[in-house]
Amino acid sequence: MTDIAAPHKAALDRPHLQNLSLVSRRYRAERRFRLYGMLAIGVTAVFLLLLLGDIFLKGLPAFTENRLVMSLAADQSVIDPQNTRDPKAILAGDYDTLIKDGLRAQFPDVTSRADRKLLLGLLSAGAADDFRSTIVANPGLIGSTVKVPVLLSDDADQYLKGAQTGSLRTAGAGTLTLTAEGDRYRLASTAGDFDEALGRVKAYINEALATGNIELDRLNTEVSRITQNLTGLEDRLKAATQSAVEADIQLATADRDKAVSDLSSLTSARDALKVRVDDLSRRAAAPAQKEVMTDLLPSLLIEANGGVFRAREVAGNDILAEILIAPTTPEAARPGTWQTQVLTTPESSRRVSDKEAAWLERLKASGSIENGIAWRFFTSGDSREPELAGIRGALTGSILTLLVTLALCLPLGVGAAIYLEEFAPKNRLTGLIEVNINNLAAVPSIVFGLLGLAMFLNFFGMPRSAPLVGGLVLALLVLPTIIIASRAALKAVPPSIKEAALGIGASHQQAIFHHVHHWPCPAS
């Protein structure tokens, strides 16, 4: 004991520990090992935090929504306060018409039927729900002007959240002149403001060309492979036809037809891609002086004099553009009063068109767009419209399923653990039960799911998609774990606790439920 408890210096005085450098190296190695362990834990914690942070940041936009704030007149001729049109309804009325008219009034130059339909597509199918709820909650608002948040469509919401395309804005450095050329405008800048936009378009063309060549090579390889396989499938079909085995003929025919269909689909995709690659090659080889814009290239929008133009031909000093929103005046725009916007994702690759983007940007610039918490995500059920869908149904079903699970597995699991640990005789039967419980704890969850499908649904005929069935399956899944954990907790109680209770005359049941169950006892 003295040798073991001796300090480190005394131990070094012994003959077999005289090599101080060896001992020092050993202690340094031990410190390095501990440092490596702490470093490994730190690196793991950092990566875990990065993962959780990435999940949180990417999931956060799902809990917010963009709304269009509108001042609407709650016209009594449209809203029916007396419910004369529909006695069963509460303040029935054409709320949608009021909202649509209010949106059209903000864009009076949108006159064509197609453009008006496109404009109204920015609104959600449930845009009138909040308006109706406001009037129902306070009927006294009828006849007055009401400020209402109107829900936007999922595509408009995603655009405003930056999920559909990147947006690069640049203030104009030169004076912009607007010259009408038919139904288009020639926009010219005195400072070469369009050089940067032209450079971005050229850079996109080169990147798209490189990507297209890689994909074209892959499609050519795949077409060659299927063509070779098709020859073998044709030979296989001939052999099956000669053998006159109907099953072989049908199988060979199905394989041949599938290969023909795949080859036709891939060939069409390859040909379409080759046309695009050829066009990109021609554009990339052309001098970087002028570019004809299409919906396959990034979009260039110019905001000037209250209007929005979309570029159709881009050069360094001027562009030929079409009108998306009509300008208030054709006069020249001074430096800093106009700006360019590049939508980095081509129009053909996003769900929001350039016109819709221009309208949304105009509404955003006017302060009519607000972003807030999407409470309907928690209070709404399933919906075909993404912006109206919520988790209420799934959340309610999960809570009910957990309640059924807890109501079944907790009393059964704890009771089984107490019986097996304290009351059951130690024989082959209880040993077999314990082995089966341990085995069930290691069974994959999919097996319990198949068991629930076979027994509860198919055999007993219980209703599908019901919390009762899910709760029963989950109870079977966690019951072995609860039994094992409860038995381990009972074993952790010192035997002296039960023996003391038995020694003062308590029964076995009293010793279990009044002493073992409540150990450790709280301080009195």
Side-chain angles (χ1 to χ4, degrees):
M1 294 296 293
T2 303
D3 293 339
I4 296 176
H8 176 63
K9 185 176 183 306
L12 291 176
D13 292 336
R14 297 181 183 180
H16 60 284
L17 295 178
Q18 291 297 326
N19 194 344
L20 182 60
S21 61
L22 179 62
V23 176
S24 300
R25 285 198 302 269
R26 185 171 72 242
Y27 280 107
R28 286 197 299 270
E30 181 180 352
R31 287 193 295 269
R32 284 197 303 270
F33 181 76
R34 294 175 59 184
L35 180 62
Y36 293 155
M38 296 173 61
L39 183 62
I41 295 175
V43 171
T44 303
V46 169
F47 278 107
L48 179 60
L49 291 176
L50 290 176
L51 176 62
L52 294 178
D54 183 66
I55 294 174
F56 176 78
L57 292 177
K58 289 183 177 178
L60 188 60
F63 298 95
T64 61
E65 63 184 13
N66 287 286
R67 297 178 288 263
L68 173 61
V69 180
M70 304 178 66
S71 296
L72 302 174
D75 192 351
Q76 188 171 352
S77 62
V78 179
I79 301 174
D80 185 12
Q82 305 300 328
N83 301 329
T84 56
R85 305 170 194 170
D86 187 358
K88 297 181 180 180
I90 300 177
L91 293 176
D94 195 356
Y95 297 89
D96 285 313
T97 298
L98 294 176
I99 293 175
K100 292 177 181 178
D101 290 344
L103 181 59
R104 292 193 193 102
Q106 298 190 44
F107 297 95
D109 56 324
V110 178
T111 56
S112 67
R113 182 176 181 180
D115 287 347
R116 294 177 68 179
K117 182 178 180 181
L118 196 64
L119 176 64
L120 296 180
L122 299 176
L123 302 176
S124 168
D129 293 346
D130 292 335
F131 189 17
R132 183 183 295 107
S133 300
T134 301
I135 299 299
V136 170
N138 189 2
L141 295 174
I142 297 178
S144 62
T145 300
V146 185
K147 196 173 184 179
V148 182
V150 178
L151 186 64
L152 296 174
S153 67
D154 59 312
D155 291 334
D157 182 72
Q158 290 297 306
Y159 172 81
L160 292 172
K161 291 177 180 177
Q164 292 213 11
T165 178
S167 178
L168 303 173
R169 288 183 173 272
T170 305
T175 300
L176 184 70
T177 57
L178 291 73
T179 305
E181 295 185 3
D183 58 346
R184 295 187 176 186
Y185 271 82
R186 176 73 62 179
L187 308 182
S189 172
T190 58
D193 288 284
F194 306 122
D195 284 332
E196 182 180 357
L198 183 60
R200 292 186 183 278
V201 172
K202 284 294 186 180
Y204 177 85
I205 290 174
N206 292 327
E207 294 175 3
L209 179 60
T211 304
N213 283 326
I214 294 175
E215 181 65 13
L216 186 61
D217 292 340
R218 188 190 68 82
L219 289 177
N220 284 328
T221 303
E222 193 67 15
V223 168
S224 300
R225 183 186 65 81
I226 294 179
T227 302
Q228 294 176 359
N229 292 341
L230 187 60
T231 303
L233 291 175
E234 293 286 357
D235 296 338
R236 174 185 163 193
L237 179 59
K238 291 179 181 179
T241 304
Q242 293 176 358
S243 63
V245 179
E246 188 63 25
D248 293 343
I249 294 175
Q250 293 180 356
L251 183 60
T253 302
D255 292 342
R256 192 273 314 271
D257 293 343
K258 183 178 182 305
V260 171
S261 176
D262 292 343
L263 181 60
S264 176
S265 177
L266 287 174
T267 302
S268 300
R270 181 197 61 182
D271 294 342
L273 180 60
K274 190 175 186 306
V275 172
R276 173 163 168 72
V277 168
D278 292 341
D279 179 65
L280 291 174
S281 299
R282 179 183 56 79
R283 290 173 177 268
Q289 298 177 353
K290 183 178 179 181
E291 194 64 52
V292 178
M293 305 295 288
T294 66
D295 60 353
L296 299 177
L297 298 177
S299 299
L300 173 60
L301 307 182
I302 298 90
E303 301 177 11
N305 293 347
V308 180
F309 305 87
R310 176 172 56 183
R312 282 298 151 203
E313 293 182 2
V314 182
N317 295 323
D318 64 85
I319 65 172
L320 182 63
E322 62 180 353
I323 300 176
L324 298 183
I325 299 178
T328 57
T329 175
E331 296 179 357
R334 297 190 306 273
T337 61
W338 63 281
Q339 59 182 344
T340 62
Q341 180 185 16
V342 177
L343 302 180
T344 57
T345 301
E347 187 179 26
S348 60
S349 301
R350 47 183 158 88
R351 296 175 61 89
V352 171
S353 66
D354 290 339
K355 284 186 178 181
E356 293 172 300
W359 294 330
L360 289 172
E361 293 292 343
R362 175 57 53 86
L363 293 173
K364 183 179 178 180
S366 65
S368 300
I369 302 293
E370 69 171 13
N371 184 274
I373 299 176
W375 295 110
R376 72 186 78 244
F377 182 72
F378 303 98
T379 59
S380 301
D382 298 338
S383 175
R384 293 181 179 180
E385 303 296 331
E387 71 276 6
L388 299 178
I391 61 173
R392 179 179 178 180
L395 186 61
T396 303
S398 299
I399 293 174
L400 294 176
T401 300
L402 290 178
L403 290 177
V404 173
T405 303
L406 293 176
L408 291 175
C409 66
L410 273 183
L412 290 178
V414 175
I418 294 175
Y419 175 77
L420 291 174
E421 189 63 30
E422 302 293 346
F423 297 98
K426 306 301 179 183
N427 51 32
R428 291 185 177 180
L429 179 59
T430 56
L432 180 63
I433 293 175
E434 293 177 359
V435 170
N436 285 321
I437 290 175
N438 292 328
N439 290 337
L440 287 174
V443 173
S445 58
I446 183 63
V447 176
F448 287 96
L450 295 175
L451 175 65
L453 174 65
M455 295 296 296
F456 299 134
L457 297 182
N458 295 339
F459 185 76
F460 291 107
M462 290 185 174
R464 294 178 179 269
S465 302
L468 177 61
V469 178
L472 289 173
V473 175
L474 282 179
L476 292 177
L477 176 63
V478 301
L479 193 58
T481 304
I482 292 179
I483 294 174
I484 294 173
S486 300
R487 293 190 66 184
L490 292 173
K491 289 180 181 179
V493 178
S496 59
I497 300 296
K498 182 171 65 175
E499 293 171 357
L502 295 175
I504 61 175
S507 65
H508 191 193
Q509 181 178 350
Q510 289 175 331
I512 297 301
F513 287 96
H514 292 275
H515 292 74
V516 175
H517 177 67
H518 292 287
W519 185 87
C521 297
S524 58

